[in-house]
Amino acid sequence: MPDISELEAFLAAASVADEVFALRPDYRALLIAVDGLEPGDGDTESEALLTRAEEWATEATATTRVEDLPHIASWRDAFRCFGAKPQRTRTSVEALTRRAVAGLPRINRLTDIYNAISVLHQLPIGGEDLRRYSGAPRLIRSDGTEPFDTVVDGTTTIEHPEVGEVVWTDDAGVTCRRWNWRQGHRTQLTGATSAALFILDVLDPMTEDELTAAADELTAQLIRLGPDVAIARRLISRPSPQEPR
């Protein structure tokens, strides 16, 4: 049976660098670690979520451009803060929202669930295989030397982020480039994933109530994916001057 204390210890070691908070003091990261998942293909509930997300995106963009949706506009501004061009490297939530209008991909029920919730709640969500991690997740500004493993034309390739780029990393290298633009190959979810980390990246104007609603919906979906699922959460936000890291 999964040990929730191990999940809590993993999350307790996670961190966000002061340099990232300097870019966006309103940034928060809600981390959800889960173990005991039973892998499986898409099911009735994951399909219903995807359909809801597609319908939401179609309605939301009928009169408003995707880039003008409030939460997506905020993330575009955040990308510009470290020199990224959001029209070329879109945030994950923008890419999914644009795709949802034509139809979201059906991959496996775990991936389908968090993709749908990302669109429905308009926040970037990253899904990672917890057992492929080496050390704790950290959000930093890159020095340009960290390895990032990706797949180019079917071949695994090592790249490096730009100096100053905001990246999620662990002890082995970058797990996601440009905050939430592209996830690495090493830690990506697969059809065999049974323990996962979900990273919910949050900026204003998203409220705490809205974030809680998104996390609760994701958690409710995860709980049903196995009889012994264990889940831990941790919110990381900018510390006050008197608050220890």
Side-chain angles (χ1 to χ4, degrees):
M1 181 173 293
D3 185 346
I4 194 168
S5 65
E6 292 183 358
L7 300 178
E8 292 171 341
F10 175 80
L11 295 183
S15 63
V16 175
D18 291 338
E19 292 78 12
V20 175
F21 285 126
L23 286 178
R24 288 295 299 244
D26 59 327
Y27 174 70
R28 292 92 78 201
L30 179 58
L31 308 183
I32 300 177
V34 55
D35 198 358
L37 300 167
E38 293 184 353
D41 296 331
D43 56 24
T44 301
E45 292 198 44
S46 64
E47 180 61 30
L49 267 180
L50 289 169
T51 299
R52 276 178 53 207
E54 291 163 349
E55 291 172 347
W56 184 93
T58 299
E59 181 177 351
T61 60
T63 57
T64 304
R65 298 186 307 171
V66 172
E67 58 267 34
D68 293 331
L69 293 172
H71 299 299
I72 289 175
S74 184
W75 273 105
R76 282 182 152 239
D77 288 342
F79 270 37
R80 294 186 186 99
C81 287
F82 63 90
K85 296 180 179 179
Q87 67 272 24
R88 294 179 57 189
T89 54
R90 292 171 175 154
T91 66
S92 64
V93 66
E94 179 176 349
L96 280 171
T97 300
R98 289 181 181 277
R99 192 165 184 179
V101 175
L104 289 166
R106 273 62 174 168
I107 302 171
N108 56 61
R109 62 183 183 176
L110 191 57
T111 303
D112 294 352
I113 285 167
Y114 88 84
N115 279 347
I117 290 174
S118 176
V119 173
L120 286 166
H121 293 272
Q122 287 291 277
L123 81 165
I125 302 178
E128 312 269 359
D129 192 313
L130 192 59
R131 293 197 170 90
R132 301 301 303 276
Y133 261 77
S134 176
R138 303 183 295 276
L139 186 65
I140 64 170
R141 297 197 69 180
S142 171
D143 63 16
T145 65
E146 301 91 347
F148 174 72
D149 69 316
T150 187
V151 176
V152 178
D153 296 328
T155 302
T156 300
T157 303
I158 300 298
E159 299 178 348
H160 298 277
E162 299 171 3
V163 175
E165 185 178 320
V166 178
V167 297
W168 280 101
T169 185
D170 66 4
D171 293 344
V174 173
T175 56
C176 189
R177 287 193 58 185
R178 294 180 187 163
W179 226 320
N180 49 58
W181 167 59
R182 179 177 293 171
Q183 292 175 286
H185 181 66
R186 171 173 56 91
T187 57
Q188 72 179 14
L189 296 179
T190 70
T193 297
S194 60
L197 170 68
F198 295 94
I199 299 174
L200 285 64
D201 286 319
V202 189
L203 295 175
D204 291 345
M206 177 159 284
T207 67
E208 295 309 306
D209 286 346
E210 289 171 332
L211 174 58
T212 297
D216 286 350
E217 183 164 20
L218 177 57
T219 298
Q221 288 290 331
L222 295 173
I223 286 173
R224 71 177 185 82
L225 299 186
D228 298 314
V229 171
I231 298 178
R233 293 190 196 182
R234 182 188 173 203
L235 178 66
I236 304 175
S237 58
R238 186 187 188 193
S240 65
Q242 297 79 28
E243 182 183 349
R245 291 288 296 172

